[in-house]
Amino acid sequence: MYKYALSLIAAVCLLSGCHAQEDKQAAPKAAETSATDRAAIVEGVQSVLTELQSFTKYLQTAADQEKIKSFGKTLAEKWDSFEDEVEEQYPEQYKQIEDHLYPLIGETGKTELDIDKIKGLLQQVQQDLNTFLTELQ
């Protein structure tokens, strides 16, 4: 009986050691994935910011409704490409960005454009994304 208990304890210790080793090996993978995800989010944010800057420059000289709709669609597509990761990993920042980004996209699709409102939302979204980008880096 004593030998059986001793064998059982030894087996448990060995198995625990194996799991500890697996955990140590899994931890770097999680860190790598996180860094990879963060890099993809940074790249996505920079892409959206570039589009917002182009949109802002465009509005300084023109206001063609079709071109504005095109900017809105492009913004939505670029944001949609990585928004799930932002929502999952950074829920507070996600909400802050979405509170201004989706109204902006909505404004770009209206038949009667409110350019001043669009410009204000553009500025706010750029500020939100720049703040988020600073937090990521």
Side-chain angles (χ1 to χ4, degrees), residues 41 45 79-98 102 132 136:
I41 291 171
V45 169
W79 176 250
D80 288 347
S81 71
F82 67 98
E83 83 169 301
D84 290 340
E85 289 83 10
V86 175
E87 183 178 23
E88 181 181 311
Q89 295 177 30
Y90 307 96
E92 291 176 27
Q93 293 88 341
Y94 172 81
K95 183 183 179 331
Q96 179 70 31
I97 294 164
E98 293 253 317
Y102 277 107
F132 181 47
L136 288 171

Side-chain angles (χ1 to χ4, degrees), residues 33-54:
T33 302
S34 177
T36 302
D37 288 345
R38 186 177 11 257
I41 291 171
V42 166
E43 184 178 316
V45 169
Q46 289 171 335
S47 174
V48 172
L49 279 168
T50 299
E51 189 66 25
L52 288 169
Q53 290 167 349
S54 296

Side-chain angles (χ1 to χ4, degrees), residues 51-64 67-68 71 115-116 118-120 122-123 126:
E51 189 66 25
L52 288 169
Q53 290 167 349
S54 296
F55 193 9
T56 300
K57 285 180 184 176
Y58 174 78
L59 287 177
Q60 291 172 352
T61 60
D64 176 66
K67 183 73 171 171
I68 290 172
F71 273 114
I115 301 300
D116 289 333
I118 290 172
K119 286 179 180 179
L122 264 169
Q123 185 178 20
Q126 285 176 322

Side-chain angles (χ1 to χ4, degrees), residues 94-112:
Y94 172 81
K95 183 183 179 331
Q96 179 70 31
I97 294 164
E98 293 253 317
D99 284 349
H100 299 109
L101 180 63
Y102 277 107
L104 172 61
I105 292 168
E107 284 296 321
T108 63
K110 290 184 175 180
T111 53
E112 300 253 348

